[in-house]
Amino acid sequence: MSSTSELQYRSFHADISTEKSSRILAADPRSVEYELMYFDITCVGASPRYMLSYGKANWHDKFPKTWDDKESHDCPFGVMPVLHVKSEDGQAMVAESVVIDMYLAKKFNLLGSNEYEELTIKAFYSSVHYLRERSLMRVTWTQADKRKEGFEAFMTKMVPWWIKVHEQHLERNGSNGHFFGDKLSLADIHLVSTLDHFAELPRGDKIVALFKASPLLWKVRETVLENPEIAAWRASEGYNKVVEGGKKFYSFCTFEDKSEA
Ligand SMILES: N[C@@H](CCC(=O)N[C@@H](CS)C(=O)NCC(=O)O)C(=O)O
């Protein structure tokens, strides 16, 4: 062990017992305060922010000051998002974006009305998540000289195929602006979050345009945005800050395309 061993020791164990943490996490969402630790970008922070707004929760963003060793060390895996849930009894923590999304969706009744609806909504969520992950892995976090190729494959193969498959499901669900059932769900919200992420990327308007050309998918977006709490969040300074922050951050992953000149 090196001399920095103190900093290297990460733990999910808190000062309070797991039973107490569990009580805080199970508490009525109106009785606690939520703090979302994430960068000032949309990406992985978008769905939690939408759900906390939708649920009229008492919540705020916490952006890292410098994202130094200490801040990273306070996150169990050295990455964000991390959700802190605070009550009079102390503070509990939820880590990993998928886990945070599922936790908040359950809290705010965004997982349908029965076991089958819940699992199907989670399947749609996972499929939306997959699309964002593929964009992150193949276009954003790839070698600079592979980016143009990655973007073209994403635009001409992956997204059109994904849209076609999901349009079939939307049609079977009655073209009602929801992936499954007739209520707002985690899957519907995750689509809007993913479109927000695409919009913060260089040439993201081109990706979003593919979805806009699909009336069934665009209807899901419009249906989510009709919710007054979600609309209020999108009209807020906080939302603007993460949209602008995202554009600034992701400007690194642009690439040259001579055919555009
Ligand atoms: N498996 C994690 C990945 C999250 C992740 O990649 N977070 C990035 C920002 S989007 C991060 O915190 N990066 C900081 C770093 O790598 O130092 C999750 O899904 O929550």
Side-chain angles (χ1 to χ4, degrees):
M1 275 284 179
S2 76
S3 58
T4 54
S5 59
E6 207 182 305
L7 259 188
Q8 286 166 1
Y9 182 77
R10 297 175 192 276
S11 174
F12 269 98
H13 294 275
D15 296 338
I16 56 175
S17 65
T18 64
E19 289 75 18
K20 213 167 195 178
S21 287
S22 176
R23 275 201 299 277
I24 295 168
L25 294 174
D28 182 326
R30 279 159 301 195
S31 68
V32 296
E33 185 186 342
Y34 298 90
E35 178 180 84
L36 182 72
M37 271 189 74
Y38 190 57
F39 294 110
D40 56 345
I41 62 177
T42 73
C43 197
V44 180
S47 283
R49 292 181 187 123
Y50 279 131
M51 287 190 275
L52 289 162
S53 303
Y54 169 78
K56 299 183 196 166
N58 174 9
W59 75 278
H60 62 270
D61 274 308
K62 185 175 180 199
F63 307 122
K65 288 198 178 76
T66 53
W67 191 237
D68 55 13
D69 281 356
K70 165 78 178 74
E71 282 177 313
S72 146
H73 181 263
D74 287 343
C75 303
F77 301 118
V79 289
M80 298 181 291
V82 169
L83 181 72
H84 291 127
V85 186
K86 301 176 181 195
S87 84
E88 285 168 359
D89 289 337
Q91 174 173 308
M93 175 177 65
V94 188
E96 284 293 291
S97 60
V98 172
V99 180
I100 295 170
D101 287 350
M102 301 280 181
Y103 170 70
L104 292 176
K106 191 169 163 198
K107 270 282 165 243
F108 300 120
N109 299 315
L110 290 160
L111 291 173
S113 310
N114 59 41
E115 187 76 5
Y116 186 62
E117 286 184 8
E118 174 169 338
L119 292 177
T120 308
I121 286 164
K122 284 178 175 172
F124 278 111
Y125 164 85
S126 173
S127 189
V128 173
H129 202 76
Y130 155 90
L131 191 67
R132 189 175 71 192
E133 282 301 306
R134 286 304 176 278
S135 152
L136 285 164
M137 290 304 135
R138 297 200 184 162
V139 188
T140 304
W141 297 107
T142 188
Q143 288 165 353
D145 63 348
K146 296 269 182 294
R147 207 163 270 138
K148 181 170 173 296
E149 198 186 317
F151 181 77
E152 279 166 8
F154 191 65
M155 288 290 289
T156 58
K157 293 197 179 84
M158 186 156 289
V159 175
W161 174 81
W162 191 98
I163 288 178
K164 197 171 157 198
V165 168
H166 290 76
E167 277 177 335
Q168 291 169 359
H169 289 291
L170 287 166
E171 210 177 312
R172 282 301 298 272
N173 195 51
S175 309
N176 64 355
H178 300 291
F179 277 112
F180 200 66
D182 56 8
K183 287 195 310 205
L184 190 69
S185 78
L186 168 66
D188 303 339
I189 287 176
H190 211 48
L191 176 75
V192 177
S193 301
T194 296
L195 291 173
D196 283 357
H197 172 62
F198 292 152
E200 68 188 348
L201 298 175
R203 292 180 179 78
D205 53 334
K206 291 194 161 80
I207 310 176
V208 174
L210 296 178
F211 287 84
K212 202 168 184 175
S214 162
L216 290 176
L217 279 158
W218 205 248
K219 187 169 177 182
V220 175
R221 178 184 180 275
E222 301 294 285
T223 306
V224 173
L225 301 193
E226 272 167 20
N227 174 265
E229 279 73 36
I230 287 180
W233 162 241
R234 283 176 72 94
S236 70
E237 252 177 61
Y239 178 77
N240 260 335
K241 184 176 165 64
V242 295
V243 167
E244 289 314 311
K247 285 185 186 155
K248 204 164 141 200
F249 176 76
Y250 285 108
S251 61
F252 80 90
C253 66
T254 191
F255 55 85
E256 200 184 336
D257 184 351
K258 294 201 174 84
S259 68
E260 284 179 350

